[in-house]
């Protein structure tokens, strides 16, 4: 879509801000509540409505499509009811076979049969009559085969019901009414998004489809650009995503290849269909190449998993046979698949923990061991058992409720109090929590005394605080009043920084600091997603929290937990997809967890000819594929465990997909459990008397105690830091900040990139730079005049969450600087490209992933040359590039941008000739703006590449945290200090 904006000037749809779940909830709820009081959809659950809208979009259906389906269904319903209901009335209270077949159901089929060949309502939605006829034909055949009426009665009950008069009518009557109303809600929802420049995830796909379908020129230009298309993991594609590919390949003999495995199609809940590969083959008449050689698993594991997945319906290659080709496994003699059953979850998890500890002690790398469960809730109790063994290190993703973080809650309580002060409301309700915050240091006796006095005297706590003599209480009062003064105009980022400054975070343990900053960053991410580019204030923050609570949604965040670099992976089957391990433990392998699919809990019923668009709950096919994915993560050893009784005393059924049956041993009379899929044919039962006694000796009692003891997470932060930085990509700003010992350096890098420590207040220079960049982009991309540029600057300035005094200064300084900059550089700005984004191009230099956004490029297409321009609002420096800290950093930035262009797919065939630093703020001495030109050369570039590689190596290895490199910034640092530091970096790397 970004390409389309550059392709045409007529595109009116703004896709500026994506909406999050809570904004979507609010919009749809408002629309639903605005429906007429008697509207059939008025009482339906908002989340159910949202779910159906998303399902419709994923299926490529618009609001108009839903209305069309509802309208046609109603028309068909009228015809069918009048024609078929009288025939059904002939059924006696106990209609029997074959009389009812001949007198009722065959005549009905004759009526329906006349519609079998009618075209669909839409390309992917058939007439409801066609489905009824097909189902009745199948029911008649089944009834004739078994000589019973039941299949026919089931057909009748599926499609018909009796009204209050006892007459038959079609069941889809209510569903069609709801669909018609839903079409209205969906249309208004889309209108609301478009009017406010908003979009949801499904919109991105639908808008792309619309553009490709309606603009032939743009479609053909993309088709010429992407002449060879490979679609990886195609089984995870939904119909709307596939439609984009169809549009791009809508010409004779396209070259397109899909790679996928329908046995691993486990994302039906996202609209991905298990039939994707069949759809692809039919659409393109594609040649099928079956990949049957497997280099991950043993033949035993392949045969076992294949036997299980054969139960799944609609497989693309039902008779596919996989062959193990890894030579390491060719000499294996014994079975490495183990299936064990225990009396209790306590015994099961005790065994898993002991077995993993044994493997670790025997020298197995912990990263080659995984525990896979169906959902997180099944592995959470296991963590305590694993922690009983110091040698076991674990890694998993934990999900936290942000509002359960005590310090996030303190920020919220202070924010509520401040907003109450601003609004002149009584602050008594939240002030107790604020005053009790330990970082304020107020004695609890004083807190109780102050709040008690307020109640007795019927006064505001604020009044009593204002009269207090104790210094620590005065400080809190003044702090709250200062925040109240700033709240209307300072952003949440700045306000939260002021609050965090008071919290004495530095006195916390390293784990506590990391956790708090992680949660604060997650909270800010939620705010960013919720409000988009809008400046967020305290009122917005509190409002968003209130919205989540009213919608009964959790403000959650996912964060990594890791004990060490080498750790046992604890994960769900969905997370395990694409991974592989020597040893895989699958736990709670029973019917409750891994077994029969559960129905969709969406109560908003759809007409039967639209049920295919909804994820109907986890089907048997999807469950089998999830099971298959988990099994095939194992390279050599697969250990599957279950228990007869869980921690709640419930007794889950054995997993039906393994076809396990209980038999009696002919010799001993003891029970045995057999499965035709297991290599040994038998399940190992660890609950006979001897096994129970042996288990107790090995510590099952201790295991039970460990389960009762709360699990304490104590992560290895170095391992987590390393994981967080594993996918780090170098930017020009990141590089220059890392080496700048005066204002950046490694400590600052750690605080920003790893801990996400909040920044301080926005200073005048930073705000000016941000606004000037926005204006210059508008001058280039929108062609606004100098006068319009000034007005745009002032309007953008008004949106900034900064102090009024800074706004006042910038309202004078900004337009004056703009006037001079546009006079001098207007010719440059009104040509070329602005804000060239190279952040998603997968660019590497000497093996280092790099990214960046370049302020401005002038491109000569004839000469195939590029000049780079970077805007600076800092003071002009006339010194040489290598004799001043600031200029040296600017030189590195320009060189970095050249490397980006030289290694990008789009610009690699161009020659980058010069780099320009445009000092766009008047110089303090002569009042002029300057263009400082840098001549690129091979020696500087070679030094830069060496520096990039060295810094990157130190970052991803965490060696930058070693004592000699982990240097805090000091403004006393000179250019000489920085050059010496760079030498130390290169030497260490």
């Amino acid at each position: 879509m970004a390409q389309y904006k550059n392709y045409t000037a007529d595109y009116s749809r703004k896709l500026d801000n994506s909406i999050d779940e809570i904004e979507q909830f609010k919009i749809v709820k408002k629309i639903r509540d605005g429906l007429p009081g008697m509207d059939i959809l008025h009482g339906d659950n908002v989340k159910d409505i949202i779910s159906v809208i998303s399902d419709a979009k994923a299926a490529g259906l618009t609001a108009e499509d839903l209305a069309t389906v509802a309208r046609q269904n109603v028309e068909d319903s009228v015809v069918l009811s009048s024609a078929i209901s009288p025939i059904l009335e002939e059924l006696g209270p106990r209609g029997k076979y074959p009389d009812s077949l001949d007198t009722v159901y065959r005549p009905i089929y004759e009526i329906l049969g006349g519609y079998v060949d009618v075209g669909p309502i839409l390309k992917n939605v058939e007439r409801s009559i066609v489905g009824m006829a097909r189902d009745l034909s199948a029911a008649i055949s089944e009834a004739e085969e078994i000589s019973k009426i039941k299949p026919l009665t089931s057909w009748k009950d599926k499609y018909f019901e009796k009204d209050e008069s006892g007459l038959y009518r079609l069941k889809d009557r209510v569903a069609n009414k709801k669909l018609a109303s839903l079409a209205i809600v969906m249309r208004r929802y889309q209108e609301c998004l478009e009017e406010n420049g908003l979009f949801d995830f499904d919109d991105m796909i639908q808008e792309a489809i619309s553009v490709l379908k309606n603009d032939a020129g743009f479609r053909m230009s993309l088709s010429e650009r992407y002449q060879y298309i490979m679609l990886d993991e195609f089984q995870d594609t939904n119909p709307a995503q596939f439609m984009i590919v169809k549009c791009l390949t809508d010409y004779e003999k396209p070259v397109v290849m899909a790679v996928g495995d329908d046995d691993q199609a486990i994302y039906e809940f996202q609209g991905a269909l298990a039939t994707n590969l069949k759809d692809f083959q039919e659409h393109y008449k594609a040649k099928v190449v079956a990949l049957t050689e497997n280099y991950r698993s043993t033949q035993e594991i392949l045969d076992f998993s294949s036997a299980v997945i054969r139960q799944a319906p609609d497989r693309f290659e039902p008779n596919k046979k996989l062959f193990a080709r890894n030579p390491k496994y060719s000499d294996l003699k014994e079975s490495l698949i183990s299936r064990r059953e225990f009396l209790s979850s306590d015994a099961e998890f005790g065994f898993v923990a002991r077995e993993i500890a044994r493997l670790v002690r025997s020298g197995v790398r912990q990263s080659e061991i995984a525990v896979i469960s169906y959902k997180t809730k099944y592995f959470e109790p296991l963590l305590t058992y694993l922690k009983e063994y110091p040698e076991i290190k674990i890694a998993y993703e934990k999900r936290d409720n942000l509002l359960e973080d005590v310090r996030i809650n303190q920020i919220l309580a202070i924010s509520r109090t401040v907003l109450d002060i601003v609004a002149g409301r009584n602050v008594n309700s939240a002030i107790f929590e604020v005053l009790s915050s330990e970082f304020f240091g107020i004695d609890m006796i004083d807190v109780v005394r102050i709040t008690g006095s307020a109640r007795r005297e019927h006064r505001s706590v604020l009044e009593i605080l204002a009269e207090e003599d104790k210094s620590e209480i005065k400080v809190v009062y003044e702090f709250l009043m200062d925040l109240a003064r700033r709240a209307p105009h300072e952003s949440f980022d700045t306000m939260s920084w002021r609050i965090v400054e008071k919290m004495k975070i530095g006195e916390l343990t390293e784990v506590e600091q990391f956790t708090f900053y992680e949660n604060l960053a997650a909270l800010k991410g939620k705010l960013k997603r919720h409000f988009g580019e809008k400046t967020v204030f305290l009122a917005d923050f509190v409002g968003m929290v209130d919205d989540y609570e009213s919608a009964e949604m959790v403000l959650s965040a996912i964060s990594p937990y890791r004990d060490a670099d080498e750790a046992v992976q604890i994960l769900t089957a969905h997370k395990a997809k694409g991974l592989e391990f020597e040893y895989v433990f699958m736990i709670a392998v029973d019917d409750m967890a891994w077994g029969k699919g559960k129905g969709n809990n969406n109560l908003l019923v759809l007409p039967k000819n639209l049920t295919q668009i909804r994820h109907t709950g986890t089907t048997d096919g999807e469950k089998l594929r999830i099971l298959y994915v988990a099994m095939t993560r194992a390279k050599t050893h697969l250990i599957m465990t279950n228990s007869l009784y869980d921690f709640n005393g419930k007794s889950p059924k054995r997993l039906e997909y393994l076809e396990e049956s209980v038999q009696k041993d002919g010799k001993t009379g003891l029970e045995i459990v057999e499965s035709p899929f297991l290599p040994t044919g038998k399940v190992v039962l660890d609950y006979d008397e001897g096994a129970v006694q042996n288990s107790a000796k090995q510590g099952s009692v201790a295991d039970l105690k460990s389960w009762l003891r709360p699990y304490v997470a104590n992560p290895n932060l170095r391992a987590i830091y390393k994981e967080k930085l594993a996918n780090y990509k170098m930017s020009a700003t990141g590089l220059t900040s890392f080496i700048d010992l005066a204002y950046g350096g490694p400590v600052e890098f750690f605080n920003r990139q790893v801990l996400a420590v909040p920044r301080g207040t926005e200073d005048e220079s930073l705000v000016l730079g941000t606004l000037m960049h926005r204006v210059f982009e508008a001058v280039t991309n929108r062609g606004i005049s100098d006068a319009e540029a000034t007005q745009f600057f002032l309007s953008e300035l008004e949106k900034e969450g900064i102090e009024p005094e800074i706004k006042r200064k910038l309202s004078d300084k900004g337009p004056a600087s703009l006037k001079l900059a546009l006079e001098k550089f207007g010719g440059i700005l009104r040509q070329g490209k602005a804000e060239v984004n190279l952040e998603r191009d997968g660019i590497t230099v000497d093996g280092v992933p790099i990214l960046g956004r370049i302020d401005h490029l002038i491109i000569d297409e004839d000469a195939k040359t590029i000049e780079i321009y970077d805007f600076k609002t800092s003071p002009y420096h006339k010194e040489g590039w290598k004799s001043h800290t600031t200029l040296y950093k600017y030189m590195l930035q320009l060189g970095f941008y050249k490397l980006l262009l030289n290694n990008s797919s789009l610009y690699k065939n161009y020659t980058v000739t010069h780099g320009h630093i445009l000092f766009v703020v008047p110089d303090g001495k002569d009042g002029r703006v300057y263009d400082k030109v840098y001549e690129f050369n091979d020696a500087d570039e070679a030094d830069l590449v060496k520096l990039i590689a060295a810094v990157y190596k130190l970052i991803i290895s965490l060696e930058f945290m070693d004592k000699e490199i982990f240097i805090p910034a000091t403004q006393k640092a000179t250019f000489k200090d920085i050059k010496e530091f760079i030498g130390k970096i290169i030497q260490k790397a």
Side-chain angles (χ1 to χ4, degrees):
M1 296 311 300
Q3 293 182 52
Y4 191 60
K5 287 183 178 180
N6 294 328
Y7 177 83
T8 180
D10 299 327
Y11 184 60
S12 59
R13 176 79 190 272
K14 287 184 177 181
L15 296 177
D16 297 332
N17 299 312
S18 63
I19 61 171
D20 62 357
E21 58 182 1
I22 197 64
E23 184 65 21
Q24 188 178 46
F25 182 91
K26 287 171 63 180
I27 292 172
V28 174
K29 183 177 185 300
K30 183 177 180 181
I31 295 170
R32 186 208 63 177
D33 292 348
L35 294 171
M38 297 301 291
D39 189 283
I40 194 168
L41 209 61
H42 207 280
D44 276 85
N45 186 284
V46 174
K47 293 178 184 176
D48 288 349
I49 296 173
I50 292 171
S51 176
V52 176
I53 290 175
S54 179
D55 289 340
K57 288 185 177 183
L61 300 177
T62 65
E64 290 67 30
D65 291 336
L66 298 188
T68 299
V69 173
R71 189 163 50 248
Q72 183 64 59
N73 282 355
V74 170
E75 291 176 7
D76 289 349
S77 177
V78 171
V79 171
L80 291 178
S81 292
S82 60
I84 296 177
S85 295
I87 300 176
L88 287 173
E89 297 301 322
E90 298 298 320
L91 281 172
R94 294 180 181 175
K96 295 187 178 181
Y97 182 89
D99 294 341
S100 296
L101 171 62
D102 294 329
T103 61
V104 175
Y105 292 105
R106 289 195 192 281
I108 290 176
Y109 183 72
E110 288 179 12
I111 295 172
L112 295 176
Y115 295 91
V116 169
D117 295 327
V118 298
I121 304 174
L122 303 169
K123 188 174 181 179
N124 52 346
V125 181
E126 66 181 7
R127 294 272 289 275
S128 56
I129 300 176
V130 174
M132 290 178 67
R134 183 175 57 247
D135 287 354
L136 181 53
S137 175
I140 290 173
S141 297
E142 186 180 352
E144 290 176 331
E145 183 178 338
I146 63 175
S147 299
K148 291 184 178 180
I149 196 68
K150 185 177 180 181
L152 299 171
T153 304
S154 297
W155 176 87
K156 170 180 67 71
D157 293 341
K158 177 181 178 180
Y159 285 100
F160 288 88
E161 64 185 3
K162 286 191 175 183
D163 62 17
E164 58 277 3
S165 303
L167 302 176
Y168 283 100
R169 66 186 180 194
L170 281 166
K171 277 187 174 180
D172 270 355
R173 178 182 59 90
V174 171
N176 286 318
K177 285 185 178 181
K178 290 198 172 188
L179 184 64
S181 186
L182 184 71
I184 295 172
V185 173
M186 185 174 177
R187 189 187 73 246
R188 291 178 183 172
Y189 169 69
Q190 285 302 118
E191 289 171 351
C192 179
L193 294 184
E194 293 178 19
E195 288 168 3
N196 293 281
L198 301 171
F199 65 92
D200 58 26
F201 174 78
D202 298 301
D203 269 339
M204 291 188 288
I205 304 297
Q206 289 302 319
E207 196 67 14
I209 292 171
S210 176
V211 164
L212 290 171
K213 282 185 174 180
N214 298 323
D215 194 323
F218 181 64
R219 183 176 67 249
M220 285 188 288
S221 69
L222 287 183
S223 296
E224 287 179 5
R225 182 174 176 183
Y226 303 110
Q227 295 182 25
Y228 302 92
I229 297 176
M230 188 186 81
L231 308 166
D232 197 16
E233 300 287 355
F234 188 71
Q235 75 277 354
D236 297 334
T237 304
N238 68 35
Q241 292 165 333
F242 187 24
M243 180 56 69
I244 292 179
V245 180
K246 290 178 181 176
C247 290
L248 289 174
T249 56
D250 187 20
Y251 53 87
E252 190 176 355
K253 295 183 179 179
V255 183
V256 55
M257 178 174 71
V259 181
D261 181 358
D262 60 318
D263 288 340
Q264 297 190 55
I266 60 174
Y267 293 105
E268 285 187 8
F269 63 92
Q270 293 179 350
L273 304 176
T275 57
N276 274 348
L277 294 176
K278 288 183 180 178
D279 297 339
F280 182 92
Q281 183 190 18
E282 291 173 3
H283 181 78
Y284 291 107
K285 305 297 186 289
K287 177 183 177 181
V288 177
V289 178
L291 304 177
T292 59
E293 296 183 330
N294 182 288
Y295 290 85
R296 173 191 295 149
S297 304
T298 64
Q299 190 63 52
E300 185 183 56
I301 290 173
L302 295 178
D303 291 344
F304 176 42
S305 57
S306 294
V308 172
I309 196 61
R310 284 193 193 103
Q311 301 170 82
D314 300 322
R315 294 179 70 216
F316 184 63
E317 287 281 340
N319 299 314
K320 179 171 60 179
K321 170 74 174 176
L322 296 179
F323 299 94
R325 290 291 184 257
N326 194 322
K328 292 191 302 182
Y329 308 147
S330 59
D331 295 331
L332 293 176
K333 304 298 182 185
E334 61 179 327
S335 173
L336 301 180
I337 296 175
S338 172
R339 176 79 180 91
R340 306 177 77 100
E341 183 171 270
F342 299 85
L343 277 176
S344 65
S345 293
D346 174 56
E348 177 189 358
F349 289 173
F351 163 79
V352 171
R354 287 193 302 275
E355 188 64 13
I356 291 176
R358 183 187 67 79
L359 292 172
V360 172
R361 288 193 292 267
S362 72
V364 175
R365 289 177 57 201
Q366 300 205 40
S367 58
E368 285 292 347
I369 304 172
V371 177
I372 301 178
S373 67
Y374 180 69
K375 286 184 177 180
T376 303
K377 68 178 182 179
Y378 294 109
F379 74 60
E380 284 176 339
L382 174 66
L383 301 178
T384 302
Y385 289 83
L386 296 173
K387 279 293 187 178
E388 285 292 301
Y389 298 88
E391 61 268 39
I392 298 178
K393 309 302 178 186
I394 63 175
Y396 69 99
E397 283 188 348
K398 58 190 180 75
R399 185 180 294 271
D400 298 317
N401 182 345
L402 294 178
L403 297 184
E404 289 180 356
D405 185 309
V406 63
R407 290 165 190 86
I408 298 294
N409 246 317
Q410 287 168 342
I411 293 174
L412 177 61
I414 291 172
S415 299
R416 290 192 188 280
T417 299
V418 167
L419 292 175
D420 283 342
I421 294 172
V422 172
R425 294 189 292 265
N426 192 325
V427 301
N428 292 9
S429 57
I431 199 70
F432 185 88
E433 186 177 354
V434 173
L435 297 178
S436 302
S437 299
E438 59 182 23
F439 56 84
F440 282 138
I442 301 177
D443 194 292
M444 187 55 68
I445 294 175
D446 286 329
V447 175
V448 174
R449 174 179 58 79
I450 291 168
T451 53
S453 296
R455 283 196 302 273
R456 287 192 304 272
E457 299 171 21
H458 303 290
R459 298 169 65 197
S460 166
V461 172
L462 211 59
E463 294 177 44
I464 296 175
L465 285 176
E467 298 168 358
E468 283 289 324
D469 294 328
K470 289 189 174 182
S471 60
E472 65 271 22
I473 298 176
K474 276 188 173 182
V475 166
V476 174
Y477 171 75
E478 290 167 359
F479 175 63
L480 292 174
M481 296 308 292
D482 181 59
L483 290 180
R485 179 180 65 79
R486 297 175 182 276
H489 51 258
E490 283 197 348
S491 69
F492 173 77
D493 277 351
T494 300
M495 294 291 286
S496 61
W497 170 77
R498 295 187 187 281
I499 296 171
V500 171
E501 263 203 321
K502 292 286 185 182
M503 286 184 158
K504 303 176 183 176
I505 302 300
E507 297 178 5
L508 303 177
T509 67
E510 188 180 4
V511 170
E512 289 172 331
Q513 288 185 52
F514 174 77
T515 302
F516 167 66
Y517 285 133
E518 277 272 289
N519 288 338
L520 183 59
L523 175 63
K524 289 184 177 181
K526 293 279 188 183
L527 288 165
K528 175 71 175 175
R529 173 85 193 279
H530 189 65
F531 292 103
E533 297 303 317
K534 173 186 178 296
T535 300
V536 178
F537 295 93
L538 274 194
D540 298 317
F541 161 56
V542 173
M544 187 188 78
V545 172
D546 290 343
D547 287 339
Y548 268 89
E549 290 177 346
S550 65
E552 298 181 353
M553 295 181 184
V554 176
L555 263 170
S556 61
I558 297 174
S559 58
Y561 176 94
R562 182 175 283 274
D563 285 332
D565 292 344
E566 272 290 314
V568 177
Q569 302 295 308
I570 318 294
L571 65 176
T572 64
H574 282 92
K575 284 290 182 182
K577 189 170 182 284
L579 304 177
E580 57 184 48
F581 309 90
E582 290 287 348
Y583 292 81
V584 168
F585 290 81
M586 292 174 59
I587 60 172
V589 182
D590 55 49
D591 225 47
M592 184 182 298
W594 297 86
K596 287 293 182 180
K598 310 298 189 296
N600 191 303
N601 58 4
N602 190 324
L603 299 179
L604 204 165
V605 63
L606 290 175
K608 292 179 179 61
N609 58 340
L610 268 188
T611 54
Q612 78 278 4
I613 75 169
R614 171 184 285 169
H615 180 240
T616 56
T618 311
T619 62
D620 284 336
E622 189 175 357
K623 281 274 193 173
L624 279 162
R625 291 190 292 274
I626 293 171
L627 185 66
Y628 176 81
V629 165
M631 290 175 172
T632 53
R633 298 314 91 196
K635 291 192 278 188
T636 56
H637 295 73
L638 176 63
I639 304 97
M640 307 171 74
T641 65
N642 75 297
S643 54
L644 295 182
Y645 296 93
D646 63 18
F647 290 118
N648 297 314
K650 293 181 180 178
S651 181
K653 295 180 181 177
R654 292 186 178 90
L655 183 58
E656 187 172 328
Y657 301 137
L658 295 181
E659 295 187 8
E660 294 174 342
S661 59
V662 179
Q663 308 291 335
K664 288 273 188 180
D665 186 287
K667 294 182 179 179
T668 65
L670 297 176
E671 283 190 349
I672 58 174
V673 179
E674 297 180 336
S675 167
F677 300 140
L678 290 169
T680 62
K682 291 182 172 57
V683 178
V684 177
L685 307 181
D686 278 355
Y687 52 80
D688 60 80
E689 185 177 352
V692 172
Q693 291 174 354
N694 188 47
S695 177
K697 290 177 184 177
Q698 294 184 43
S700 64
V701 174
D703 288 333
L704 182 56
K705 291 178 181 177
S706 73
W707 178 69
L708 294 173
R709 188 183 309 127
Y711 167 62
V712 179
N714 188 24
N716 181 311
L717 290 180
R718 293 280 291 209
I720 292 179
Y721 299 157
K722 196 169 184 178
E723 184 179 9
K724 283 175 70 71
L725 291 171
N727 296 317
Y728 177 74
K729 294 180 176 61
M730 185 75 72
S731 68
T733 302
L735 176 69
T736 55
S737 175
F738 188 91
I739 65 169
D740 186 359
L741 294 183
Y743 297 97
V747 173
E748 183 67 9
F749 172 86
F750 174 77
N751 288 337
R752 296 283 179 255
Q753 292 290 334
V754 181
L755 290 187
V757 175
R759 295 180 182 273
T761 56
E762 299 273 18
D763 63 26
E764 180 181 324
S765 176
L766 188 60
V767 176
L768 177 61
T770 300
L771 295 179
M772 293 287 272
H773 276 75
R774 283 185 207 163
V775 173
F776 292 155
E777 182 182 7
V779 169
T780 303
N781 291 343
R782 291 162 43 191
I784 62 176
S785 66
D786 290 6
E788 289 171 328
T790 299
Q791 288 304 312
F792 181 66
F793 177 92
L794 294 172
S795 66
E796 290 296 296
L797 176 61
E798 274 305 305
K799 301 175 185 176
E800 291 294 313
I802 55 177
E803 294 185 51
E805 181 59 23
I806 295 179
K807 277 190 178 180
R808 187 192 63 75
K809 288 181 181 179
L810 290 179
S811 65
D812 294 330
K813 186 175 182 178
S817 298
L818 267 179
K819 183 175 184 298
L820 284 172
L822 291 173
E823 286 175 358
K824 178 86 180 230
F825 307 129
I828 296 170
L829 293 171
R830 297 189 188 283
Q831 60 176 313
K833 293 187 175 183
E835 296 295 325
V836 177
N837 190 343
L838 296 173
E839 295 181 351
R840 299 179 181 176
D841 290 38
I843 301 170
T844 61
V845 171
D846 202 21
V848 177
I850 63 172
L851 51 74
R853 186 186 292 263
I854 305 174
D855 288 350
H856 198 85
L857 296 180
I858 297 293
I859 303 173
D860 187 329
E861 293 291 353
D862 296 327
K864 290 293 180 182
T865 60
I866 296 177
E867 295 201 43
I868 299 171
Y869 293 83
D870 196 66
F871 311 131
K872 301 297 182 186
T873 53
S874 58
Y876 169 64
H877 300 284
K878 63 182 180 180
E879 296 90 346
W881 292 101
K882 298 180 183 179
S883 60
H884 189 280
T885 298
T886 302
L887 290 178
Y888 182 72
K889 288 167 56 181
Y890 293 168
M891 181 192 80
L892 294 179
Q893 285 184 336
L894 291 172
F896 195 99
Y897 295 150
K898 179 179 182 294
L899 289 173
L900 277 170
L901 294 169
N902 287 343
N903 291 277
S904 71
S905 59
L906 198 57
Y907 301 105
K908 63 183 178 182
N909 295 322
Y910 291 77
T911 300
V912 183
T913 57
H914 297 89
H916 301 255
I917 296 295
L918 301 186
F919 292 90
V920 297
V921 173
D923 182 59
K925 295 178 180 178
D926 58 19
R928 296 169 58 189
V929 293
Y930 285 90
D931 175 2
K932 193 174 183 72
V933 183
Y934 171 67
E935 298 281 348
F936 293 110
N937 62 84
D938 293 343
D940 286 351
E941 183 167 308
D943 289 342
L944 174 59
V945 171
K946 189 185 297 184
L947 178 60
I948 290 172
V951 172
Y952 179 75
K953 179 179 179 296
L954 295 181
I955 288 173
I956 62 170
S957 67
L958 290 192
E959 290 181 68
F960 79 96
M961 296 183 71
D962 293 352
K963 186 177 180 180
E964 68 271 25
I965 298 293
F966 203 57
I967 302 172
T970 170
Q971 293 185 27
K972 294 180 181 179
T974 64
F975 185 46
K976 180 183 177 183
D977 295 328
I978 292 172
K979 292 293 287 183
E980 289 176 354
F981 180 61
I982 290 174
K984 188 183 295 184
I985 287 173
I986 292 174
Q987 183 180 13
K988 184 172 180 62

